[in-house]
Amino acid sequence: MDDKYLDIVDKHSPKEDRLKNAIVSFIAGGMLGSLSELLLRGYMIWFNLPRKEAGVVVILTLIILASVLTAFGVFDVCVSKFKSALIIPITGFAHSMTAAALEYRKEGLVLGIGANIFKLAGTVILYGIVSVYIFGLIRMLVMGG
Amino acid sequence: MTNKFNNVYVGDSYTIASVYEKDGPIADYFDKVYDKDLYYGCDTFEKAEEKMLSDSIENLIDKVEYKDSDIDYVISGDLENQIAASDYALRHFDIPFLGIFSACATFGEGLLIGANLIEGKRAKNIIVSTSSHNMMAEKQFRNPTEYGAPKKKTTTWTSTGAACMLLTNKKGKIKITSATCGKVQDKNVTDVNNMGAVMAIAAADTIERHLVDLNIKPNYYDLILTGDLGCYGKEILIDYLKTKNIDISKNYEDCGLILYDIKKQNVFAGASGPASSALVLCSYLLKEMERGKYKKILLVPTGAIFSPTRTFQKDSIPSIAHAISFEVSE
């Protein structure tokens, strides 16, 4: 009996357009990357910065841009169009923190924003640090540092 | 078990809808639309939902020219933790209050309890109400409100609105004739983004028991409506009932597909939330029954009564559906 119901559920569960979403994400994400590279070159020329420091300024620019777009309620609309292209880069990280901060601001600075701002981004930080540790260890053992 | 009623009538109703609903096909049927934004002048979404619900109850009492003391009970529930919208809205009234929860089937549970209280002569006038707020549901069950992530096609869109109905023992044009209480169903569906698949089984069970108890065929009703199965859940229900030799394909629709136009509006599989079925019933259906388009309808609000914590613990999602029948009295 259970099987019959789950078969009918399967029959009426639409397939997600994975290939289409992947292509959209690839193109949009690639464009975001290319624009960032242009910006990087720009910062190097305009502010006479070395490449490494210009990179940090580009990241800051993207974070600010994503947070402002989230605050104005535009970012989630963009995500519905460009899919994961905006979620995977640093813009997604900034967006998750701003969204949480906006949501909990009425619950106070400590128990609201403070306790909840890393609600989604905390996972990225935790497993980011854990994987950096593991890969660092592998690099040290295999390549000697 | 199906209760039959002889003395329960629909006194009147009041609906307040919001920004997404006013773009839907039945926008003209709402009593009021709060469409400037989703705050309605309040500083939080929580207070906005409370305002919507208390305004709708207040406006219903004014509309029928009653006082608080004329109402014996308000039965209300919503999707917030501790059914907070209902609890906080009812502090503005001097009326005995019963708080209930069946997720999106809450309005059905309220009507079932209310109709039984009136039929049992324990009360004369009862207001049944419910509300949902898109942003509150996002906050309660999903991600932070402004958080955007790609969504699946089977996702439903929580409706924003409040609806209330006055049940009374005074003779009126529309009668509540019977109610079938739902049983909790669980077919091991774990996908929180496919609530239609979670809840279709509950609707199927309740509809089947309703028809058997009353010994009637689906075509007894002009229209059978589920609460918020969406376009995919609707197909699942039709196909599953066919395996039980019940054909509802000709006179069945889902309220989630009446409230929104899924082809024009970006709402994925359709509307959800307790307000979905309540708004459609209290505006479109009642008015069309009064005009004579429908004589007999069966409303089956469907609810996924799930806890996000249990879902994270990899548990499947239980669901429930209650059936209430309305008939134009002679």
Side-chain angles (χ1 to χ4, degrees), chain B residues 249-264:
Chain B
S249 60
K250 287 181 193 73
N251 55 342
Y252 163 63
E253 188 52 271
D254 183 65
C255 292
L257 302 172
I258 297 178
L259 188 60
Y260 295 141
D261 182 343
I262 60 167
K263 289 204 180 82
K264 287 191 196 138

Side-chain angles (χ1 to χ4, degrees), chain A residues 1-2 4-6 8-17 21 69-76 79-80 83-84 87 92 95-100 102-107 119-120, chain B residues 39 43-44 46 135 138-140 142-154 186-189 194 196-202 232-233 235-237 239-241 243-244 266:
Chain A
M1 185 64 81
D2 272 355
K4 207 195 288 171
Y5 182 74
L6 291 177
I8 296 172
V9 167
D10 271 347
K11 197 179 130 199
H12 293 294
S13 296
K15 293 270 173 297
E16 296 297 321
D17 310 320
N21 290 348
L69 289 178
T70 304
F72 283 103
V74 182
F75 197 93
D76 44 356
V79 170
S80 68
K83 311 292 170 192
S84 300
I87 293 287
H95 167 56
S96 72
M97 288 182 65
T98 316
L102 279 173
E103 168 149 317
Y104 291 99
R105 76 187 192 285
K106 294 286 176 195
E107 276 135 70
K119 205 176 172 188
L120 297 167
Chain B
Y39 282 104
D43 58 353
T44 63
E46 283 82 353
M135 288 297 166
E138 288 289 311
K139 188 172 176 179
Q140 185 83 60
R142 298 175 195 110
N143 285 316
T145 46
E146 273 306 327
Y147 187 75
K151 285 187 173 161
K152 287 178 77 172
K153 288 177 186 167
T154 48
D186 191 336
K187 286 282 185 189
N188 249 332
V189 180
N194 193 358
V198 171
M199 302 185 295
I201 184 65
Y232 303 107
E235 300 298 324
I236 295 170
L237 178 63
D239 273 14
Y240 184 68
L241 280 179
T243 66
K244 307 230 166 198
N266 195 15

Side-chain angles (χ1 to χ4, degrees), chain B residues 125-138:
Chain B
N125 298 303
I126 293 178
I127 289 179
V128 179
S129 65
T130 193
S131 65
S132 52
H133 190 290
N134 181 279
M135 288 297 166
M136 277 314 303
E138 288 289 311

Side-chain angles (χ1 to χ4, degrees), chain B residues 33-312:
Chain B
V33 176
Y34 288 172
D35 60 352
K36 207 177 125 233
D37 55 26
L38 287 167
Y39 282 104
Y40 325 133
C42 304
D43 58 353
T44 63
F45 293 133
E46 283 82 353
K47 286 183 186 158
E49 186 173 353
E50 175 195 337
K51 178 181 163 59
M52 218 163 39
L53 186 57
S54 65
D55 283 2
S56 74
I57 297 172
E58 196 185 322
N59 290 339
L60 176 61
I61 294 173
D62 287 347
K63 193 177 169 189
V64 293
E65 293 174 353
Y66 278 2
K67 293 189 298 287
D68 281 11
S69 54
D70 296 319
I71 311 295
D72 299 309
Y73 294 97
V74 168
I75 306 174
S76 186
D78 55 84
L79 287 181
E80 287 183 38
N81 278 346
Q82 295 91 27
I83 54 168
S86 298
D87 297 340
Y88 284 67
L90 264 296
R91 64 185 168 176
H92 305 295
F93 299 90
D94 187 24
I95 309 173
F97 166 58
L98 286 171
I100 54 166
F101 182 80
S102 283
C104 309
T106 297
F107 203 67
E109 183 183 347
L111 291 173
L112 187 147
I113 297 170
N116 269 302
L117 283 169
I118 289 178
E119 183 73 12
K121 298 196 168 47
R122 301 285 179 198
K124 288 181 180 139
N125 298 303
I126 293 178
I127 289 179
V128 179
S129 65
T130 193
S131 65
S132 52
H133 190 290
N134 181 279
M135 288 297 166
M136 277 314 303
E138 288 289 311
K139 188 172 176 179
Q140 185 83 60
F141 297 109
R142 298 175 195 110
N143 285 316
T145 46
E146 273 306 327
Y147 187 75
K151 285 187 173 161
K152 287 178 77 172
K153 288 177 186 167
T154 48
T155 314
T156 46
W157 185 270
T158 308
S159 51
T160 308
C164 50
M165 183 185 274
L166 174 71
L167 302 183
T168 175
N169 62 354
K170 235 185 261 164
K171 258 191 177 307
K173 185 146 192 214
I174 299 167
K175 205 174 170 183
I176 296 189
T177 48
S178 65
T180 308
C181 188
K183 293 179 182 173
V184 177
Q185 301 289 323
D186 191 336
K187 286 282 185 189
N188 249 332
V189 180
T190 52
D191 187 356
V192 288
N193 295 310
N194 193 358
M195 285 303 180
V198 171
M199 302 185 295
I201 184 65
D205 175 72
T206 304
I207 291 171
E208 189 188 3
R209 286 191 296 113
H210 180 83
L211 297 176
V212 170
D213 285 352
L214 297 182
N215 195 21
I216 51 176
K217 295 259 177 290
N219 61 12
Y220 175 84
Y221 292 106
D222 299 323
L223 197 57
I224 297 175
L225 291 133
T226 48
D228 52 357
L229 295 185
C231 59
Y232 303 107
K234 179 184 166 183
E235 300 298 324
I236 295 170
L237 178 63
I238 292 174
D239 273 14
Y240 184 68
L241 280 179
K242 263 185 199 153
T243 66
K244 307 230 166 198
N245 290 321
I246 299 171
D247 182 13
I248 58 165
S249 60
K250 287 181 193 73
N251 55 342
Y252 163 63
E253 188 52 271
D254 183 65
C255 292
L257 302 172
I258 297 178
L259 188 60
Y260 295 141
D261 182 343
I262 60 167
K263 289 204 180 82
K264 287 191 196 138
Q265 295 177 277
N266 195 15
V267 293
F268 308 95
S272 62
S276 168
S277 52
L279 281 177
V280 173
L281 172 71
C282 294
S283 61
Y284 172 73
L285 290 170
L286 288 185
K287 284 193 184 115
E288 288 303 336
M289 282 183 89
E290 274 167 16
R291 286 174 193 166
K293 187 173 177 188
Y294 306 115
K295 291 245 175 327
K296 294 169 183 169
I297 61 164
L298 180 69
L299 183 78
V300 190
T302 38
I305 36 179
F306 86 110
S307 139
T309 308
R310 297 294 291 261
T311 305
F312 290 140

